[in-house]
Amino acid sequence: MSATSSPTATRTCIAARIAIMEAAPGKRIVWHVLDNYFSFTRDETEWKGTDIVFDIASKGDLTEITFTHRGLVPSYECFEACSQGWRMYVEGSLRDLIMTGQGRPNIGEAMTESERILAA
């Protein structure tokens, strides 16, 4: 995952090298962050060694996705911005992608209030 922006936009840079640790179709996906870079935190590698987990379950005619970013803890400088960002992606972009076929990927501009504050 990586994102950068045009020189005229509020700039946020996020890059990550992720390994797929588990991929059970219709059940679970686990990504392990091997390395990452944030332009907006003092510790540019806060996600390194964390796991991003999507648990998928059928609930009648519906599908439930439970998202967990294991290792993303409140003491991290990016915690608030990352929590808001994940919420926007999972509850907004991913839902839109599943329901309509069109998500809202981050192309580098700050998308949440916390991202805008950190990028300033």
Side-chain angles (χ1 to χ4, degrees), residues 54 65-67 82-100 102-104 112:
F54 298 86
I65 298 174
T66 302
F67 172 84
C82 291
S83 295
Q84 283 183 17
W86 280 128
R87 200 167 16 264
M88 189 273 310
Y89 281 115
V90 173
E91 295 175 2
S93 183
L94 179 59
R95 179 180 294 168
D96 290 350
L97 180 62
I98 292 167
M99 301 297 286
T100 69
Q102 181 67 43
R104 290 178 276 145
T112 67

Side-chain angles (χ1 to χ4, degrees), residues 56-86:
I56 306 159
S58 294
K59 300 286 184 178
D61 291 341
L62 303 174
T63 300
E64 178 181 81
I65 298 174
T66 302
F67 172 84
T68 309
H69 189 158
R70 288 191 308 232
L72 178 62
V73 295
S75 62
Y76 282 178
E77 184 180 3
C78 81
F79 182 79
E80 193 60 39
C82 291
S83 295
Q84 283 183 17
W86 280 128

